[in-house]
Amino acid sequence: MTKQKQHQNLSQSRDGGYTIIESLVAMIVVSVLMIAIAPVMAFSVATRVQARRTELATQAAKAYIDGLRSGSIKFNDPTIKGFPAKFAAFTATNPEDLANAPVPGNKDNLYCVDMDGTGVCETSSTKDFYVQGAWGNPDPSITGDDPTLKGYQLLVRVYRADSFAGVTLNQTPQTAKKQSVVGSGLGDRTMPVVEMTTQIPPTTEGVPSAYRSLCDRTNGCK
């Protein structure tokens, strides 16, 4: 074998060795980068999932409120559960107290919003919701638990259906801690996804107007 051929073979051997080393270095660099950005990617996906869940929970809350305003969700209706429970500690001087209404102990009397099309809310579902309602009206003429003749302030909390699958709900007053989209990952099942308050006018014909009802409850009209 001539010296020229030996030199060519030696050069090819050296080039092949360098290519393998470069490939290994590239693989290491890519692996380090993937490890570095993996938490960011996971956080981004979890945040999108929670944001979508919050959007659906807001729709569930609006459907519940519309049902109360239209009268389709009625007091003592055996066919549709979920009429809001009275919060006796509510006062006109401090209406924010309604946010401290007790959390539900179970799902038995909550309003079901079926989001996965099965016809019922299942505690194994990650799409279904249960809605809790609590009402307050300081009018002393309301002696029972039906405020529809006078109207009322309403608190709405929307929980994931799987919050009632062997999970103890957080008992902390909701004014102190609420679930957040940012930083909540896939969400805290012990907390409501959405919490909001609104005013429900009288739903019975022949009663004072919604505006007059609101004035009477808040002492805001002179």
Side-chain angles (χ1 to χ4, degrees), residues 138-219:
D139 189 339
S141 66
I142 302 178
T143 57
D145 294 331
D146 183 6
T148 53
L149 291 176
K150 297 287 186 176
Y152 52 93
Q153 183 169 330
L154 172 70
L155 169 72
V156 178
R157 295 187 186 128
V158 182
Y159 289 90
R160 296 163 50 174
D162 57 0
S163 293
F164 299 92
V167 176
T168 300
L169 297 182
N170 191 300
Q171 302 294 318
T172 303
Q174 301 305 302
T175 52
K177 181 180 179 182
K178 291 185 178 66
Q179 188 171 145
S180 172
V181 174
V182 179
S184 62
L186 292 177
D188 183 356
R189 288 195 293 160
T190 69
M191 300 294 295
V193 182
V194 168
E195 179 178 304
M196 63 179 67
T197 58
T198 188
Q199 300 288 337
I200 302 297
T203 56
T204 305
E205 295 181 1
V207 300
S209 66
Y211 176 72
R212 175 49 55 188
S213 172
L214 178 61
C215 290
D216 293 341
R217 282 183 280 121
T218 60
N219 294 322

Side-chain angles (χ1 to χ4, degrees), residues 50-72:
Q50 183 64 4
R52 176 58 177 167
R53 180 180 288 125
T54 301
E55 179 183 354
L56 293 175
T58 302
Q59 294 178 12
K62 291 180 177 179
Y64 178 70
I65 293 171
D66 289 343
L68 290 172
R69 285 177 174 165
S70 66
S72 60

